[in-house]
Amino acid sequence: MKTLLLTPKLPQEYILKDGCYYNSKGKITEWSITQLEFYSTINTQHNCTKYVRFHIKLAEQDKTYSFDCPLALAIEGKALDIFFDYQIYALCSDNLFSKFISSVVKLSVFGQTPEDNYAIDQGYLKLQNGKIVFGLGDEVVNASDEAPVISESTIKLKKSDNSGDFISYLDKLINSVSFPPAAFIASLVAYVKPMFENELDEYGFTIYIYADSGLGKTEFSKLLSDIFEDHDNIVSLSSDKYAIKKAAKLKDSLIVIDDLNRTVSSRIRNSNEAKLCDFIQMNQSSGNCHYKDVKVKLDNIAIVTAEYVIKNNSTINRCLLVQLENAFDSDELTILKKEHGKYIAFLKDFILWLCQNYEKISGEAAYYKSKNDNSNILNENSGKLKRIMRTYQILCITLDIFKRYLKEQHDLTDEHIDDLSNICKTSIEKCINDTIDHCLTDDNKIGREFIDEILRGIYQEDIVSADFAEYSKEAKKARKNKYLQRYVFYFDGSYLCVEADVLTNWLKTRLELEVVPSKQKVSAQLRYYGLLKVIGGEYTSTISEDKSRKYYQLYLQRLKECQAEIANISADEVHYWWDGSSSSSDYGSWGDNSDDCFENIDDQETYELHTNRSFLKNRKKVEQRP
């Protein structure tokens, strides 16, 4: 980092004596400022911030402190908290101390021009000279004096073992009987994937580690992720509600969400499952993700640990399931934990190599993508398996990159590299097959006839209202006269809201069932396909427009994803006249008019007839709007 070194200048009314500052009333500190550094940072948005770095020496002690403070805060007399955070106290009033620091800084930096530095928080950054660096906690990988970079991260990286003997550690890790090496390769995706953002920007997944209690899920995940001093990237589902969001901001990194277990009450378990599903569906999801009607996309790879696999297709097909079948051998685990500094050293070396070869490897993205094209594996379940096959593809690409790193960076024989690669590839295929089996087996058990009917209904019929007054008026009429209401769903901007009794009776009528389907069976399908908002462990809840009744709330973006699977198009191409997302004048129709849109529709002629009627009614409504 480039800084301008400055000797501190004291105001006339103060003197320095025996390492302490005095004014006319006596001693005001028991320390002195030995040096100031003046620099500025330029972040990725090209915003410039000036900083002063204080070097403090305690009187009659060898102990020194160094810490940074924004120049504006120091001059405005607002640096008090920063000093106290480092246990640098004053013997005078807070007001006098603030004025003193402000005066020292003003006198010292007045007329000086600070040295510029690039600022990086977490993840990759391309500097103006084309150099690639990586922020890993408070360290910057591949930084140099020629390209000065400062880390703005408050997260401190653990010490690494720089002996250079980390290949032996990787051998132990990958050849461990208890450790599925697929998870090791999956963790490296966090650092490899950004290099392929132009080709693979939709490729993301979550590492889902599951096993019975006591087999070492948490210890296993820590071997891959515990690289920061205060475990800032590891949180529990029972953590403070902001902890997961804070961890999720770690760009291009590995984070852990721990401890989905069976031992809690069903309500807490439902709440934790919903919290986990929401996170996984936002984290590294293909296509556009929405949270409270705002597009979001998190840029990290996550590990979750659980005692069981949740029944939610929309979540699991975004994951790589990794089952721990055996408990860790205690001696083996002790060695891996004791030598964990070697893993951190490997990680820094691997990231350094990626930075140095960033342009070269990213320029070969199309080659790696075509080499690992697994589309031939897809079958009649292609809509369900597409995400899983993309996960398989990026895992194979990352394995190729890892092999290339070993070959170019380390003196290993081809046989040694192939042995490690084959072990990892076998483990990857096993985990991918496990993920596919869970999705397809549960599909057969749970079914989706209710989901398909909801999709067909909201597309064909005029049963959705975006006006709550209109919706409520129709519902009251229907309840009074004991018939099924015209507007079944109310759309609030993100969710289709419907009362459970209304939905089950509507499904009975639509599907011509002899009895009303149970709410338990309906909600099981809604949850499995990720459609159902769960609050506090409850499947139904009130909405802001109606505090007296409870509603199922079906997430619109997930509905679009389900409908896109049927039509084999992107979810972004699915539009409904009432959701305001269509830029076309053809409200109520698909964004894609191909024949694929009619796949899985029993009676295409009836479908088209209903669609045309719905289109005419909806078009008239739209034209009447101001």
Side-chain angles (χ1 to χ4, degrees):
M1 183 182 73
K2 288 186 178 180
T3 61
L4 181 64
L5 299 177
L6 302 169
T7 301
K9 297 180 181 179
L10 289 179
Q12 290 183 352
E13 62 268 30
Y14 296 90
I15 62 170
L16 175 62
K17 181 181 177 182
D18 300 327
C20 305
Y21 290 124
Y22 293 79
N23 68 358
S24 58
K25 295 183 180 180
K27 187 188 294 187
I28 67 166
T29 73
E30 291 186 337
W31 48 264
S32 61
I33 303 173
T34 60
Q35 197 173 56
L36 292 173
E37 292 184 66
F38 191 29
Y39 68 93
S40 64
T41 61
I42 303 170
N43 63 19
T44 52
Q45 286 76 41
H46 304 291
N47 297 321
C48 180
T49 306
K50 295 178 181 179
Y51 289 89
V52 175
R53 176 169 292 174
F54 292 89
H55 296 273
I56 307 292
K57 185 178 186 304
L58 301 183
E60 300 180 355
Q61 292 185 32
D62 293 332
K63 193 170 185 179
T64 59
Y65 293 86
S66 296
F67 54 90
D68 297 353
C69 175
L71 177 64
L73 292 184
I75 289 178
E76 291 171 12
K78 297 179 180 178
L80 189 66
D81 290 342
I82 298 175
F83 274 77
F84 287 2
D85 285 343
Y86 287 87
Q87 298 181 331
I88 307 297
Y89 302 112
L91 305 176
C92 58
S93 69
D94 291 352
N95 186 49
L96 178 60
F97 177 69
S98 296
K99 286 183 178 180
F100 170 70
I101 295 298
S102 175
S103 298
V104 170
V105 172
K106 284 178 182 178
L107 288 170
S108 303
V109 305
F110 181 74
Q112 304 290 338
T113 302
E115 295 277 2
D116 287 339
N117 298 269
Y118 296 105
I120 183 171
D121 187 4
Q122 187 75 23
Y124 286 104
L125 176 67
K126 185 174 183 177
L127 306 182
Q128 290 179 347
N129 62 4
K131 187 172 186 177
I132 304 293
V133 297
F134 189 95
L136 189 63
D138 61 342
E139 296 189 20
V140 181
V141 179
N142 204 33
S144 64
D145 292 337
E146 295 76 29
V149 183
I150 181 172
S151 173
E152 289 192 323
S153 176
T154 58
I155 298 175
K156 189 172 181 62
L157 187 68
K158 282 188 172 179
K159 290 182 179 179
S160 58
D161 182 345
N162 296 317
S163 64
D165 183 28
F166 49 72
I167 295 299
S168 62
Y169 186 88
L170 296 184
D171 277 329
K172 293 173 188 173
L173 193 68
I174 293 173
N175 286 283
S176 167
V177 175
S178 309
F179 187 100
F184 165 67
I185 298 299
S187 70
L188 298 185
V189 173
Y191 313 104
V192 170
K193 180 178 174 289
M195 307 176 72
F196 294 81
E197 59 185 3
N198 292 330
E199 292 285 337
L200 306 176
D201 57 336
E202 292 188 352
Y203 289 57
F205 63 94
T206 295
I207 307 167
Y208 192 109
I209 300 170
Y210 71 102
D212 290 335
S213 179
L215 290 185
K217 299 182 295 296
T218 301
E219 295 296 338
F220 170 85
S221 63
K222 282 185 176 181
L223 289 175
L224 298 173
S225 62
D226 193 14
I227 62 175
F228 300 121
E229 286 286 358
D230 298 319
H231 318 296
D232 294 84
N233 60 331
I234 302 173
V235 294
S236 169
L237 275 174
S238 58
S239 299
D240 178 88
K241 64 180 180 179
Y242 299 109
I244 294 178
K245 290 182 180 179
K246 183 179 178 183
K249 291 180 180 179
L250 286 172
K251 185 171 178 272
D252 301 339
S253 297
L254 193 68
I255 67 173
V256 177
I257 301 183
D258 193 27
D259 203 24
L260 177 68
N261 61 69
R262 294 189 179 98
T263 57
V264 294
S265 70
S266 59
R267 181 169 180 172
I268 295 175
R269 193 162 59 245
N270 291 338
S271 180
N272 284 344
E273 284 187 16
K275 192 187 300 183
L276 191 60
C277 289
D278 283 346
F279 171 79
I280 290 174
Q281 288 169 1
M282 281 194 298
N283 191 60
Q284 296 184 311
S285 177
S286 61
N288 289 317
C289 281
H290 293 70
Y291 180 66
K292 294 185 178 178
D293 210 28
V294 176
K295 287 186 179 181
V296 293
K297 198 167 186 178
L298 307 180
D299 294 317
N300 48 58
I301 292 291
I303 295 176
V304 302
T305 67
E307 291 183 3
Y308 60 97
V309 179
I310 56 179
K311 301 294 184 184
N312 188 312
N313 175 280
S314 184
T315 297
I316 295 305
N317 67 16
R318 287 174 163 88
C319 296
L320 175 73
L321 295 187
V322 180
Q323 183 179 18
L324 296 189
E325 298 176 350
N326 303 303
F328 261 116
D329 178 85
S330 58
D331 294 336
E332 187 178 59
L333 181 59
T334 299
I335 293 172
L336 290 172
K337 290 173 68 176
K338 184 178 179 181
E339 299 180 352
H340 195 248
K342 293 181 179 179
Y343 178 78
I344 298 174
F346 151 71
L347 208 55
K348 290 169 67 174
D349 189 67
F350 181 63
I351 293 172
L352 174 63
W353 178 80
L354 290 176
C355 289
Q356 294 170 344
N357 293 274
Y358 195 96
E359 297 293 346
K360 185 178 180 181
I361 295 174
S362 60
E364 299 168 357
Y367 160 74
Y368 281 107
K369 183 178 179 181
S370 61
K371 180 188 174 186
N372 294 284
D373 184 5
N374 305 298
S375 57
N376 60 312
I377 299 176
L378 298 179
N379 52 22
E380 67 274 7
N381 297 295
S382 60
K384 302 178 182 70
L385 302 185
K386 194 176 290 183
R387 282 197 181 94
I388 301 174
M389 287 300 99
R390 283 199 294 257
T391 298
Y392 185 29
Q393 187 176 39
I394 190 61
L395 286 168
C396 292
I397 289 171
T398 302
L399 180 57
D400 281 350
I401 299 296
F402 176 62
K403 287 170 59 180
R404 181 171 171 177
Y405 157 78
L406 292 177
K407 188 172 184 177
E408 294 182 6
Q409 196 76 352
H410 299 280
D411 187 21
L412 300 182
T413 64
D414 290 343
E415 184 180 4
H416 190 176
I417 294 173
D418 288 342
D419 285 345
L420 293 176
S421 174
N422 290 335
I423 294 171
C424 293
K425 187 66 179 288
T426 301
S427 178
I428 288 170
E429 291 175 349
K430 180 180 179 182
C431 292
I432 287 292
N433 287 329
D434 185 26
T435 309
I436 291 173
D437 287 345
H438 270 83
C439 283
L440 297 186
T441 303
D442 286 341
D443 266 0
N444 293 334
K445 287 180 181 177
I446 294 183
R448 58 174 285 162
E449 68 275 15
F450 302 140
I451 306 298
D452 288 339
E453 197 56 49
I454 290 171
L455 294 174
R456 196 177 279 113
I458 62 176
Y459 181 53
Q460 292 178 359
E461 302 293 336
D462 188 14
I463 56 175
V464 180
S465 174
D467 182 340
F468 186 75
E470 181 182 40
Y471 174 82
S472 181
K473 181 181 176 182
E474 291 289 340
K476 286 177 182 176
K477 269 197 226 175
R479 280 193 288 269
K480 182 178 180 181
N481 298 308
K482 296 184 179 179
Y483 62 79
L484 191 62
Q485 60 196 60
R486 175 190 168 197
Y487 289 123
V488 180
F489 301 93
Y490 162 62
F491 178 59
D492 70 353
S494 295
Y495 296 90
L496 283 183
C497 308
V498 57
E499 292 179 61
D501 287 333
V502 172
L503 180 60
T504 53
N505 279 286
W506 178 77
L507 287 169
K508 175 183 179 294
T509 303
R510 289 280 300 193
L511 293 169
E512 298 180 352
L513 302 175
E514 292 184 6
V515 295
V516 176
S518 69
K519 296 172 189 175
Q520 184 180 14
K521 191 173 181 180
V522 172
S523 61
Q525 279 193 24
L526 296 176
R527 290 184 67 206
Y528 177 67
Y529 286 95
L531 299 174
L532 194 60
K533 182 178 182 180
V534 181
I535 300 177
E538 297 294 334
Y539 305 145
T540 58
S541 57
T542 60
I543 59 177
S544 58
E545 294 84 356
D546 185 358
K547 300 294 186 183
S548 62
R549 298 179 182 278
K550 290 189 175 183
Y551 296 80
Y552 283 136
Q553 297 182 57
L554 313 185
Y555 194 15
L556 176 65
Q557 183 64 17
R558 308 282 180 258
L559 284 165
K560 288 186 175 184
E561 289 175 3
C562 288
Q563 196 138 37
E565 285 180 5
I566 295 173
N568 198 24
I569 60 174
S570 165
D572 293 334
E573 296 178 86
V574 179
H575 302 295
Y576 303 105
W577 73 271
W578 36 263
D579 78 343
S581 66
S582 177
S583 58
S584 166
S585 60
D586 297 332
Y587 292 88
S589 65
W590 290 81
D592 185 320
N593 294 319
S594 66
D595 292 338
D596 290 339
C597 297
F598 302 111
E599 187 181 333
N600 288 0
I601 300 301
D602 297 330
D603 187 341
Q604 184 171 323
E605 185 177 349
T606 303
Y607 183 88
E608 290 173 346
L609 177 63
H610 279 293
T611 302
N612 290 334
R613 287 175 179 169
S614 181
F615 166 74
L616 291 173
K617 286 188 290 184
N618 297 336
R619 180 65 175 271
K620 186 175 180 181
K621 281 188 175 186
V622 171
E623 290 173 348
Q624 290 174 347
R625 291 180 181 178

